[in-house]
């Protein structure tokens, strides 16, 4: 269950626990159809696995991050019958040292390759592709050099991040090149957090897509706080400003002067959340990365208490909020103020949209022909508040009236991609130690 990034780092309001059923009961209900279809041994394993679901399942806003608790016993259960339920036992096993997970290989691109990729960013609309500036992912370029895929290898998986970056006419040949490269290294090709635009490519490349959640994208051309629907948000930011909070948008040239302050806020945020830096699909607090783009800050009595770095495109179309960190308990309305003022500034500068990141497990259909993952995921979304604030994150982003856009994991082969999910989780968490910290 991988963006879960908070692939943004917002702390959303909690949904009252009284409204949720016990998650174990909900998950068991979702698994009953699989139990009924399973052979006796398979049914026994599925029933046993349900008892292991009381351990914490999630550490960030990313669907793939439950996968650190997944393991599939191919010798006991048929993968087509077991799907998600059987696999959830990996966390308990891995945390006890019974499974030795492979270390992440050091896949660092050359400075020349990063410079080539940054040049391509200027002519494409996806601001989140600016994560390539981190320099923590290898790069595969199209034959003509006009598009690239950023990826990292973990275990037996080569994991591509987002859609290919560049003209859509180059997506299919570049995707096929990536798949061939993965197979030549005896790796499984994985495409993480791809958009609906990538789905036709999955058909041509014979990949299967699994929905991870929905991404919130605000249409800045119609964003306004006028009208009764925005009364509650207006009150929140007015109260924040009356209490002394001040917003400022810093250009990249202004960031070095306040970098030490930003670093102190970041350290306090990580300490309060008992978390380490993540990676791959999430930005990390590295000087060259933070100083490469604008940073929005909130000050209280002159001191920075919250900040967010903003990835942008040279075309002025799309913007993406990545790192969002704040001092614990500074002010209840500071994130509302930060987001609203960012949107207003970007709109004034001619940007068309702002990507707020994923709402994990949102929008999963549960009709009769939907895969069992959808049913289990929906139960987790509705009743899993003890593990992760799914509805709270969705509610926080919904207050800005975004368009909800689906995001997928695309992999080769049939069945639930357990090994791929584990590898993606380890990439984001920085290995098993990083995953277990949060």
């Amino acid at each position: 269950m991988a963006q879960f990034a908070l692939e943004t780092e917002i702390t959303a309001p909690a949904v009252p626990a009284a409204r949720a059923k016990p998650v174990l009961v909900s998950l068991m209900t979702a698994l009953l159809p699989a139990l009924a279809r399973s052979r006796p041994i398979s049914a026994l394993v599925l029933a046993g696995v349900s008892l292991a679901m009381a351990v914490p399942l999630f550490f960030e806003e990313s669907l793939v991050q439950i996968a650190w608790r997944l393991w599939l016993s191919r010798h006991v259960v048929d993968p087509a019958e077991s799907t998600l339920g059987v696999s959830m036992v990996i966390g308990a096993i891995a945390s006890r040292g019974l499974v030795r997970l492979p270390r992440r290989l050091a896949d660092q691109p050359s400075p020349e390759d990063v410079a080539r990729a940054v040049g391509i960013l200027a002519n494409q609309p996806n601001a989140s592709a600016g994560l390539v500036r981190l320099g923590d992912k290898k790069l595969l370029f199209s034959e003509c050099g006009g598009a690239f895929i950023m990826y990292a290898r973990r275990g037996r998986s080569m994991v591509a991040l987002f859609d290919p970056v560049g003209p859509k006419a180059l997506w299919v040949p570049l995707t096929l090149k990536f798949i061939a490269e993965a197979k030549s290294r005896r790796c499984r090709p994985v495409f993480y957090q791809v958009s609906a635009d990538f789905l036709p490519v999955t058909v041509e490349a014979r990949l299967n897509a699994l929905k991870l959640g929905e991404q919130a994208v605000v249409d800045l051309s119609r964003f306004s706080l006028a009208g009764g629907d925005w009364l509650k948000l207006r009150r929140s930011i007015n109260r924040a400003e009356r209490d002394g909070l001040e917003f400022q948008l810093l250009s990249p040239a202004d960031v070095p002067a306040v970098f030490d302050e930003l670093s102190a806020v970041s350290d306090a945020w990580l300490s309060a959340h008992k978390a380490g830096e993540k990676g791959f699909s999430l930005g990390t607090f590295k000087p060259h990365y933070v100083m490469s783009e604008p940073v929005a800050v909130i000050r209280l009595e002159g001191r920075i208490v919250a900040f967010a770095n903003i990835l942008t495109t040279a075309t002025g179309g799309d913007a993406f909020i990545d790192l969002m960190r704040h001092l614990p308990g500074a002010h209840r309305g500071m994130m509302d103020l930060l987001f609203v003022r960012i949107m207003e500034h970007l709109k004034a500068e001619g940007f068309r949209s702002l990507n707020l990141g994923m709402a994990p497990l949102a929008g999963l259909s549960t009709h009769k022909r939907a895969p069992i993952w959808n049913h289990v995921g929906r139960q987790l979304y509705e009743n899993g508040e003890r593990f992760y604030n799914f509805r709270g994150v969705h509610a926080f982003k919904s207050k800005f009236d975004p368009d909800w856009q689906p995001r997928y994991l695309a992999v080769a082969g049939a069945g639930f991609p357990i090994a791929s999910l584990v590898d993606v989780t380890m990439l984001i968490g920085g290995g098993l130690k990083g995953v277990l910290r949060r």
Side-chain angles (χ1 to χ4, degrees):
M1 292 191 168
Q3 306 71 132
F4 291 152
L6 246 138
E7 284 207 359
T8 74
E9 296 173 325
I10 305 168
T11 303
V15 174
R19 295 169 56 185
K21 296 185 293 182
V23 71
L24 183 58
V25 174
S26 301
L27 289 174
M28 194 59 195
T29 300
L31 289 171
L32 284 177
L35 285 167
R37 293 194 304 268
S38 299
R39 297 190 301 269
I41 263 188
S42 300
L44 180 62
V45 174
L46 279 169
V49 165
S50 67
L51 299 178
M53 292 183 181
V55 294
L57 297 178
F58 308 98
F59 69 87
E60 288 260 17
E61 181 186 340
S62 161
L63 219 60
V64 132
Q65 292 168 354
I66 91 163
W68 71 277
R69 289 173 164 78
L70 307 182
W71 182 52
L72 181 62
S73 177
R74 296 181 182 272
H75 301 290
V76 178
V77 182
D78 187 323
E81 294 176 346
S82 62
T83 62
L84 178 67
V86 175
S87 61
M88 283 193 169
V89 72
I90 193 173
I93 295 174
S95 64
R96 287 163 174 76
L98 300 182
V99 172
R100 185 179 180 85
L101 295 172
R103 291 185 178 183
R104 177 181 175 182
L105 299 182
D107 282 340
Q108 301 297 325
S110 68
E112 294 76 19
D113 281 349
V114 174
R116 287 176 62 194
V118 170
I120 294 173
L121 291 179
N123 299 310
Q124 62 84 46
N126 183 8
S128 60
L131 286 171
V132 72
R133 291 187 173 92
L134 280 168
D136 63 344
K137 291 169 277 290
K138 289 284 283 184
L139 300 169
L140 181 70
F141 291 90
S142 62
E143 296 298 333
C144 66
F148 69 89
I149 286 175
M150 51 183 159
Y151 71 93
R153 179 178 171 181
R154 177 80 197 195
R156 295 290 299 278
S157 297
M158 269 180 56
V159 186
L161 179 62
F162 306 146
D163 298 340
V165 181
K168 288 185 180 180
L170 300 177
W171 285 15
V172 170
L174 182 54
T175 298
L176 295 176
K177 181 180 179 180
F178 179 83
I179 293 172
E181 181 71 15
K183 290 183 177 179
S184 72
R185 300 186 188 184
R186 297 185 178 181
C187 289
R188 60 182 74 87
V190 182
F191 296 83
Y192 173 60
Q193 215 180 121
V194 294
S195 72
D197 290 340
F198 189 76
L199 294 185
V201 182
T202 68
V203 175
E204 293 201 42
R206 296 185 179 181
L207 300 170
N208 293 319
L210 171 73
K211 188 171 182 180
L212 298 174
E214 294 188 334
Q215 188 167 266
V217 179
V218 176
D219 182 351
L220 295 176
S221 66
R222 59 182 176 84
F223 177 76
S224 171
L225 289 185
D229 292 341
W230 298 94
L231 178 61
K232 187 174 181 180
L233 190 56
R234 286 201 305 271
R235 286 177 174 172
S236 175
I237 63 175
N238 289 339
R239 173 64 182 271
E241 291 181 328
R242 284 199 305 270
D243 290 345
L245 295 185
E246 298 178 338
F247 172 87
Q248 184 181 11
L249 185 63
L250 304 174
S251 69
D254 296 328
V255 175
V258 298
F259 185 80
D260 289 344
E261 277 192 88
L262 299 178
S263 181
V265 172
S266 178
D267 290 345
W269 188 90
L270 291 171
S271 176
H273 288 78
K274 296 182 174 62
E277 291 281 8
K278 302 301 184 260
F280 188 59
S281 61
L282 300 171
T284 55
F285 194 83
K286 294 182 178 179
H288 77 275
Y289 176 67
V290 176
M291 295 179 189
S292 67
E293 294 280 0
V295 175
V297 301
I298 296 293
R299 297 179 185 273
L300 180 61
E301 297 178 351
R303 130 186 118 107
I304 295 175
V305 295
F307 73 88
N309 75 318
I310 306 168
L311 306 186
T312 59
T313 59
T315 59
D318 181 43
F320 171 63
I321 296 180
D322 184 23
L323 294 171
M324 288 172 282
R325 299 182 178 180
H326 58 83
L327 295 179
H331 194 283
R332 185 175 180 179
M334 64 182 168
M335 298 308 289
D336 287 344
L337 179 62
L338 182 66
F339 272 57
V340 167
R341 295 296 182 243
I342 287 175
M343 292 175 195
E344 291 175 343
H345 274 71
L346 291 175
K347 180 179 179 179
E349 292 176 7
F351 285 87
R352 295 187 296 273
S353 63
L354 176 64
N355 182 350
L356 302 182
M358 281 261 289
L361 297 178
L364 297 183
S365 59
T366 54
H367 53 76
K368 290 183 179 180
R369 296 187 62 83
I372 190 173
W373 162 244
N374 284 35
H375 293 279
V376 174
R378 188 64 187 178
Q379 291 294 333
L380 287 169
Y381 179 85
E382 295 290 345
N383 306 294
E385 297 302 316
R386 61 196 293 187
F387 298 133
Y388 181 79
N389 192 14
F390 296 105
R391 289 180 292 163
V393 167
H394 187 272
F396 179 86
K397 295 178 180 182
S398 291
K399 72 169 67 176
F400 303 106
D401 192 27
D403 297 322
W404 292 101
Q405 302 176 358
R407 288 296 179 267
Y408 302 90
L409 180 79
V411 295
F416 195 80
I418 304 306
S420 299
L421 286 172
V422 171
D423 288 338
V424 174
T425 299
M426 295 300 162
L427 279 174
I428 295 171
L432 184 60
K433 181 179 179 181
V435 170
L436 293 176
R437 285 191 64 187
R438 182 69 172 87

